[in-house]
Amino acid sequence: MRKVHPEFAYQSRELGGQIDGILGDPPNRKNYANMVNALVGEYADGGGIDDVNMLSFALVDHIAFNNPKGLLAESEDYEYGDPAKVLAMASCAGAEAAKMYAAIGENCPDLARQAIITAFLYKNPRLWDDDDQSLDQLSANDDGDDRHDDDDVTDEFAQMFDQDGADDVR
């Protein structure tokens, strides 16, 4: 298991939620296909929304990953990396999807890099380890030594409303 940048982990989870939301319950495959086709067409024509999740959503059903280990290594840094290197690690089949892939590499290479890695992580969740952000995990090291209880009024708070500016509160 490999750690990935937290933003990539977040974007991957968001992509899953977006796919589930578009599919709906019960799944409407026609609606989903129409949405994907519309996005692919927009990006293929050089437009599209400047958003990692929208671009990964357009890519996810068309992309093939030629170098999984390389993409996993690239997932450690969200902001910086070599877009050309990442673009060479994947490809898209089909005329419109291949046109989209070439267009995003030319028009928005940094966004394309992030979207390709996000789609890769979404499709390969067993290759990487997501940080546990559950409340149980976040409170694991909390030893309960908070300075003030939630229901106590502190002197600092009480002095905010002291009109005389006196140090003692009566």
Side-chain angles (χ1 to χ4, degrees):
M1 290 294 219
R2 183 177 216 140
K3 291 281 188 188
V4 301
H5 190 279
E7 185 65 21
F8 275 127
Y10 171 77
Q11 293 295 341
S12 177
R13 288 190 304 270
E14 286 293 304
L15 177 59
Q18 186 177 21
I19 289 171
D20 289 343
I22 297 296
L23 275 172
D25 187 26
N28 183 339
R29 302 265 181 223
K30 183 177 179 184
N31 185 44
Y32 175 83
N34 287 339
M35 178 72 168
V36 171
N37 291 336
L39 286 171
V40 169
E42 286 289 320
Y43 286 112
D45 291 339
I49 299 169
D50 187 22
D51 180 72
V52 171
N53 261 324
M54 294 305 269
L55 182 51
S56 5
F57 187 73
L59 287 168
V60 78
D61 290 336
H62 301 285
I63 197 164
F65 305 107
N66 310 327
N67 185 349
K69 287 183 181 181
L71 287 168
L72 203 53
E74 289 290 321
S75 71
E76 292 177 357
D77 190 354
Y78 187 78
E79 290 294 324
Y80 304 103
D82 183 359
K85 185 177 175 182
V86 171
L87 282 156
M89 293 183 198
S91 60
C92 284
E96 192 72 5
K99 181 180 173 187
M100 170 190 62
Y101 199 73
I104 64 171
E106 185 177 317
N107 298 329
C108 51
D110 291 321
L111 182 68
R113 176 191 163 275
Q114 292 170 341
I116 290 165
I117 294 171
T118 297
F120 169 75
L121 295 173
Y122 170 75
K123 291 184 92 171
N124 297 284
R126 294 178 184 211
L127 296 179
W128 57 281
D129 189 24
D130 193 3
D131 287 335
D132 185 0
Q133 295 294 318
S134 67
L135 290 177
D136 293 334
Q137 178 63 29
L138 294 174
S139 67
N141 293 327
D142 184 11
D143 56 5
D145 64 346
D146 294 340
R147 196 171 135 211
H148 301 288
D149 292 329
D150 291 337
D151 55 345
D152 288 343
V153 176
T154 64
D155 289 339
E156 294 89 16
F157 181 76
Q159 287 176 357
M160 286 175 39
F161 300 101
D162 184 10
Q163 293 181 2
D164 296 330
D167 288 334
D168 61 325
V169 178
R170 297 178 200 241

